[in-house]
Amino acid sequence: MNSFEKKSYESAVELEQSLDENSFLFSEEISESNKFIKFSNNLVDIGFIYYDVGLEPQIKLLTLSNNIFVGINSMYACLDYTTKTVLFEEKLPSLLYEIMIDSDSKYIVFICELDVFVYENDGSLLWSMGFRNVIEDYYLEGTESIVIECDDGDKTTFSLESGRAE
Protein backbone atom coordinates (compact mmCIF):
# COMPACT_ATOMS: atom_id res chain seq x y z
CA MET A 1 0.00 0.00 0.00
CA ASN A 2 2.87 2.42 0.72
CA SER A 3 4.67 1.65 -2.51
CA PHE A 4 3.93 3.48 -5.73
CA GLU A 5 4.18 2.31 -9.32
CA LYS A 6 6.00 4.83 -11.52
CA LYS A 7 5.10 5.43 -15.15
CA SER A 8 6.68 7.93 -17.56
CA TYR A 9 4.85 9.70 -20.38
CA GLU A 10 5.99 11.43 -23.57
CA SER A 11 3.96 14.62 -23.07
CA ALA A 12 1.90 16.65 -20.63
CA VAL A 13 -1.24 15.82 -22.62
CA GLU A 14 -0.58 12.08 -22.39
CA LEU A 15 0.00 12.34 -18.62
CA GLU A 16 -3.08 14.48 -18.06
CA GLN A 17 -5.25 12.03 -20.03
CA SER A 18 -4.11 9.20 -17.72
CA LEU A 19 -5.37 11.06 -14.63
CA ASP A 20 -8.98 11.16 -13.45
CA GLU A 21 -10.83 13.74 -11.33
CA ASN A 22 -9.60 12.12 -8.08
CA SER A 23 -5.94 12.41 -9.10
CA PHE A 24 -3.43 15.11 -8.22
CA LEU A 25 -1.21 16.94 -10.71
CA PHE A 26 1.79 19.10 -9.79
CA SER A 27 3.33 21.08 -12.58
CA GLU A 28 6.13 23.48 -13.21
CA GLU A 29 6.04 25.60 -16.34
CA ILE A 30 5.69 23.24 -19.29
CA SER A 31 8.64 23.04 -21.68
CA GLU A 32 10.07 20.52 -24.14
CA SER A 33 12.68 19.30 -21.65
CA ASN A 34 10.21 18.45 -18.87
CA LYS A 35 9.62 15.00 -17.44
CA PHE A 36 6.07 13.67 -17.25
CA ILE A 37 5.63 11.03 -14.55
CA LYS A 38 2.72 9.44 -12.71
CA PHE A 39 2.96 7.58 -9.42
CA SER A 40 0.03 5.26 -8.61
CA ASN A 41 -1.08 2.90 -5.90
CA ASN A 42 -4.46 1.62 -4.73
CA LEU A 43 -5.14 4.91 -2.89
CA VAL A 44 -4.16 7.68 -5.29
CA ASP A 45 -2.60 8.76 -8.62
CA ILE A 46 -0.14 11.67 -8.52
CA GLY A 47 1.20 13.29 -11.68
CA PHE A 48 4.33 15.44 -11.92
CA ILE A 49 5.41 17.75 -14.74
CA TYR A 50 8.84 19.10 -13.93
CA TYR A 51 12.12 20.30 -15.32
CA ASP A 52 14.78 17.61 -14.97
CA VAL A 53 17.69 18.86 -12.83
CA GLY A 54 18.67 15.35 -11.76
CA LEU A 55 16.38 15.13 -8.75
CA GLU A 56 13.58 12.59 -8.40
CA PRO A 57 10.04 13.36 -7.18
CA GLN A 58 9.64 12.64 -3.48
CA ILE A 59 6.53 10.92 -2.10
CA LYS A 60 5.96 9.91 1.51
CA LEU A 61 2.68 8.26 2.54
CA LEU A 62 1.53 8.45 6.16
CA THR A 63 -1.36 6.07 6.76
CA LEU A 64 -1.49 7.25 10.38
CA SER A 65 -2.75 10.70 9.31
CA ASN A 66 -4.11 9.90 5.81
CA ASN A 67 -1.57 12.36 4.39
CA ILE A 68 0.87 12.17 1.52
CA PHE A 69 3.80 14.58 1.40
CA VAL A 70 5.16 15.19 -2.10
CA GLY A 71 7.71 17.42 -3.75
CA ILE A 72 10.02 17.98 -6.71
CA ASN A 73 12.49 20.80 -7.45
CA SER A 74 10.96 23.91 -5.84
CA MET A 75 7.40 22.72 -5.24
CA TYR A 76 6.01 20.70 -2.37
CA ALA A 77 2.62 19.80 -0.99
CA CYS A 78 0.63 17.84 1.56
CA LEU A 79 -2.39 15.83 0.35
CA ASP A 80 -5.20 14.08 2.20
CA TYR A 81 -5.74 10.92 0.18
CA THR A 82 -9.09 10.06 1.82
CA THR A 83 -10.79 13.38 0.98
CA LYS A 84 -8.69 13.91 -2.21
CA THR A 85 -7.79 17.43 -1.11
CA VAL A 86 -4.59 19.45 -1.14
CA LEU A 87 -3.89 20.60 2.43
CA PHE A 88 -1.13 22.93 1.26
CA GLU A 89 0.96 23.52 -1.83
CA GLU A 90 3.99 25.80 -1.57
CA LYS A 91 7.05 26.95 -3.45
CA LEU A 92 10.42 26.22 -1.90
CA PRO A 93 13.20 28.82 -1.79
CA SER A 94 15.77 26.19 -2.89
CA LEU A 95 15.76 22.78 -4.59
CA LEU A 96 14.24 19.84 -2.71
CA TYR A 97 16.68 17.00 -2.07
CA GLU A 98 14.59 14.62 0.00
CA ILE A 99 11.57 14.16 2.25
CA MET A 100 12.39 12.23 5.42
CA ILE A 101 10.13 10.81 8.14
CA ASP A 102 11.27 9.89 11.63
CA SER A 103 10.71 6.27 12.71
CA ASP A 104 7.65 7.23 14.82
CA SER A 105 6.07 9.04 11.82
CA LYS A 106 5.66 12.15 13.96
CA TYR A 107 7.88 14.53 11.96
CA ILE A 108 8.19 15.09 8.21
CA VAL A 109 11.41 16.82 7.18
CA PHE A 110 11.91 18.52 3.81
CA ILE A 111 15.64 18.78 3.09
CA CYS A 112 16.47 21.39 0.45
CA GLU A 113 19.67 22.75 -1.02
CA LEU A 114 19.71 25.70 1.40
CA ASP A 115 16.71 25.09 3.70
CA VAL A 116 15.05 22.67 6.11
CA PHE A 117 11.31 22.54 6.81
CA VAL A 118 9.87 20.36 9.59
CA TYR A 119 6.18 19.48 9.72
CA GLU A 120 4.04 17.43 12.06
CA ASN A 121 2.34 14.44 10.45
CA ASP A 122 -0.95 16.39 10.26
CA GLY A 123 0.66 18.87 7.85
CA SER A 124 1.25 21.75 10.27
CA LEU A 125 4.60 23.52 10.02
CA LEU A 126 6.71 23.30 13.19
CA TRP A 127 9.76 25.25 12.03
CA SER A 128 11.95 26.10 9.08
CA MET A 129 15.50 27.31 8.71
CA GLY A 130 17.58 28.70 5.89
CA PHE A 131 21.34 28.19 5.57
CA ARG A 132 23.98 30.39 3.96
CA ASN A 133 25.87 27.40 2.63
CA VAL A 134 24.69 24.40 0.64
CA ILE A 135 23.51 21.42 2.69
CA GLU A 136 25.90 18.63 1.86
CA ASP A 137 24.92 15.87 4.30
CA TYR A 138 21.99 15.23 6.60
CA TYR A 139 20.48 12.43 8.65
CA LEU A 140 17.92 11.83 11.35
CA GLU A 141 19.35 10.92 14.72
CA GLY A 142 16.75 8.77 16.48
CA THR A 143 13.28 10.27 16.66
CA GLU A 144 14.29 13.55 18.27
CA SER A 145 16.87 15.32 16.11
CA ILE A 146 18.37 15.96 12.70
CA VAL A 147 22.02 16.55 11.87
CA ILE A 148 22.81 19.02 9.07
CA GLU A 149 26.26 19.45 7.57
CA CYS A 150 26.94 22.27 5.11
CA ASP A 151 29.63 22.49 2.45
CA ASP A 152 31.68 24.84 4.66
CA GLY A 153 32.12 21.97 7.16
CA ASP A 154 29.66 23.39 9.71
CA LYS A 155 27.77 20.48 11.33
CA THR A 156 24.81 21.15 13.64
CA THR A 157 22.26 18.93 15.39
CA PHE A 158 18.74 20.39 15.66
CA SER A 159 15.75 19.30 17.74
CA LEU A 160 13.00 18.08 15.40
CA GLU A 161 10.35 19.44 17.75
CA SER A 162 11.70 22.97 18.26
CA GLY A 163 14.46 23.58 15.70
CA ARG A 164 16.87 24.56 18.48
CA ALA A 165 20.52 23.64 18.05
CA GLU A 166 21.54 20.93 20.48
Side-chain angles (χ1 to χ4, degrees):
M1 181 161 72
N2 289 349
S3 64
F4 285 84
E5 179 184 311
K6 177 181 172 183
K7 184 172 183 189
S8 296
Y9 294 87
E10 294 295 318
S11 69
V13 172
E14 188 181 340
L15 170 61
E16 290 168 351
Q17 289 174 345
S18 76
L19 300 171
D20 65 23
E21 69 276 352
N22 292 320
S23 302
F24 296 98
L25 177 62
F26 296 96
S27 178
E28 292 183 318
E29 191 172 311
I30 296 176
S31 72
E32 289 181 20
S33 56
N34 281 5
K35 283 198 169 186
F36 311 98
I37 296 176
K38 178 172 76 173
F39 291 86
S40 303
N41 68 9
N42 60 338
L43 298 172
V44 67
D45 290 341
I46 303 169
F48 291 96
I49 299 172
Y50 64 97
Y51 184 73
D52 184 14
V53 295
L55 299 170
E56 288 293 315
Q58 297 287 309
I59 301 177
K60 298 293 181 187
L61 177 80
L62 286 158
T63 53
L64 210 60
S65 62
N66 299 330
N67 290 340
I68 301 173
F69 292 84
V70 300
I72 181 64
N73 293 346
S74 64
M75 58 183 162
Y76 73 123
C78 179
L79 320 171
D80 182 323
Y81 62 80
T82 56
T83 62
K84 305 292 188 217
T85 57
V86 177
L87 300 177
F88 67 78
E89 182 178 359
E90 303 287 335
K91 292 284 184 200
L92 292 165
S94 60
L95 290 175
L96 176 67
Y97 288 161
E98 185 176 357
I99 300 172
M100 303 169 71
I101 300 174
D102 73 296
S103 59
D104 290 342
S105 296
K106 184 175 180 184
Y107 303 108
I108 293 76
V109 183
F110 289 80
I111 304 290
C112 303
E113 184 178 31
L114 296 168
D115 305 274
V116 173
F117 296 84
V118 178
Y119 286 83
E120 288 187 287
N121 61 15
D122 67 358
S124 57
L125 179 66
L126 283 175
W127 60 273
S128 65
M129 183 173 297
F131 295 84
R132 290 182 196 180
N133 295 294
V134 173
I135 295 173
E136 200 165 78
D137 195 19
Y138 51 89
Y139 56 91
L140 294 175
E141 201 167 67
T143 59
E144 302 297 319
S145 54
I146 183 166
V147 178
I148 302 291
E149 185 174 350
C150 292
D151 64 357
D152 65 350
D154 187 30
K155 185 175 183 178
T156 309
T157 302
F158 298 95
S159 162
L160 283 172
E161 184 176 27
S162 67
R164 283 195 279 277
E166 299 178 344

